[in-house]
Amino acid sequence: MRLKSWILLCTGIGLFRMASAQQIPLNKYGLAVLQDKQQYEQLIKKDSSQQLVDLEKFIPGIRKDVRYATTNNFTHQRLYTSTGIYLRRPAAIALKKVQEILHKKGFGLLIYDAYRPYRCTELMFKIVPNDLYAADPRKGSGHNRGVAVDLSMVDLKTGKPVPMPTDFDDFTHKAHENYKPADPVVAANRQLLRETMIRCGFKGSSTEWWHYYLPNYKKYPLMDIVF
């Protein structure tokens, strides 16, 4: 084989392997789920908006109560080994604006959940197979894409969570958007959170007062990487 032909062949093989390595493998549902940290690093080199940002470092004063790192959640199982809270950079920037607006009104953010590895979505749906409350793994979740967040507010004076219609992960009608709380303070707290989140670019859930996500969530791949 001539040297030029050999070089072209080797180059072609190398490019094919590189392209194959960068493809996100499909799972049993035919979904592309990113599971390799090296592929994640390659992704953010091409597009910095894909980077997962540590919210505690990025948003001053943010609070957290990561229930899935405990047994105090609807699964009664410890799903996370870490309490780290992450979102894709655009979602983190939008959430920082929310925090700034709320601070001027005497409140701060309390995060229950943010980025969630895909494997946790599969487990949750086995326990609650209802996509009104748990994301269907055949579709994946905004949490798996790093652009959905579950949250509430704290009173900056007391440092305590403000009253809301229900606790986090309450699967009753009281958690729905159209529920009318008898307590005007509860109604005002929920309304302030919703209005501020929407103002900063998030979309809310009709069945969970705590759940918000970026409307362009499909731009971000599903992920099953633990950080």
Side-chain angles (χ1 to χ4, degrees):
M1 182 181 291
R2 293 181 180 179
L3 179 60
K4 184 176 181 181
S5 298
W6 175 255
I7 292 172
L8 289 173
L9 176 61
C10 290
T11 301
I13 292 172
L15 290 172
F16 174 78
R17 287 177 177 173
M18 185 180 296
S20 298
Q22 291 175 349
Q23 289 179 353
I24 301 175
L26 302 181
N27 68 1
K28 61 185 177 182
Y29 303 117
L31 296 177
V33 181
L34 188 62
Q35 303 180 52
D36 185 277
K37 285 189 177 180
Q38 288 185 337
Q39 283 190 318
Y40 165 71
E41 295 293 340
Q42 291 173 359
L43 183 66
I44 63 176
K45 283 181 180 179
K46 293 180 179 179
D47 182 358
S48 61
S49 71
Q50 297 283 348
Q51 182 181 18
L52 284 172
V53 175
D54 185 335
L55 296 180
E56 290 182 276
K57 294 179 180 179
F58 191 71
I59 305 177
I62 199 167
R63 300 276 298 275
K64 66 179 182 180
D65 178 11
V66 184
R67 299 286 183 89
Y68 299 131
T70 72
T71 57
N72 181 24
N73 61 70
F74 76 97
T75 72
H76 304 295
Q77 298 180 42
R78 188 167 177 252
L79 303 180
Y80 298 167
T81 57
S82 168
T83 61
I85 46 176
Y86 300 88
L87 285 178
R88 303 277 188 188
R89 183 167 295 279
I93 291 172
L95 200 63
K96 188 173 185 179
K97 292 179 182 177
V98 173
Q99 175 86 326
E100 292 169 353
I101 292 171
L102 291 179
H103 262 222
K104 294 176 181 179
K105 299 181 179 182
F107 300 99
L109 289 173
L110 173 64
I111 308 299
Y112 294 122
D113 196 25
Y115 164 69
R116 176 188 305 159
Y118 179 84
R119 69 193 73 176
C120 297
T121 292
E122 290 185 295
L123 179 56
M124 289 176 178
F125 199 72
K126 285 181 180 179
I127 298 170
V128 181
N130 184 338
D131 62 5
L132 286 177
Y133 304 107
D136 188 335
R138 291 172 296 184
K139 300 177 181 177
S141 165
H143 286 288
N144 306 146
R145 299 178 187 274
V147 293
V149 60
D150 296 337
L151 77 175
S152 186
M153 302 187 302
V154 294
D155 186 317
L156 293 182
K157 291 182 180 179
T158 65
K160 296 180 179 181
V162 303
M164 286 292 189
T166 68
D167 192 9
F168 171 58
D169 267 357
D170 181 298
F171 300 145
T172 67
H173 179 65
K174 289 183 178 180
H176 290 202
E177 180 185 10
N178 61 6
Y179 171 71
K180 297 181 180 180
D183 187 338
V185 173
V186 171
N189 289 338
R190 184 185 65 179
Q191 186 67 17
L192 175 61
L193 178 62
R194 179 169 287 270
E195 286 180 350
T196 309
M197 292 294 288
I198 292 173
R199 174 181 170 184
C200 293
F202 289 94
K203 187 173 181 179
S205 166
S206 62
T207 59
E208 299 173 339
W209 61 261
W210 56 82
H211 179 76
Y212 293 88
Y213 59 96
L214 291 186
N216 66 340
Y217 61 91
K218 289 186 178 180
K219 174 184 175 182
Y220 306 91
L222 300 165
M223 292 179 58
D224 193 21
I225 299 175
V226 176
F227 289 88

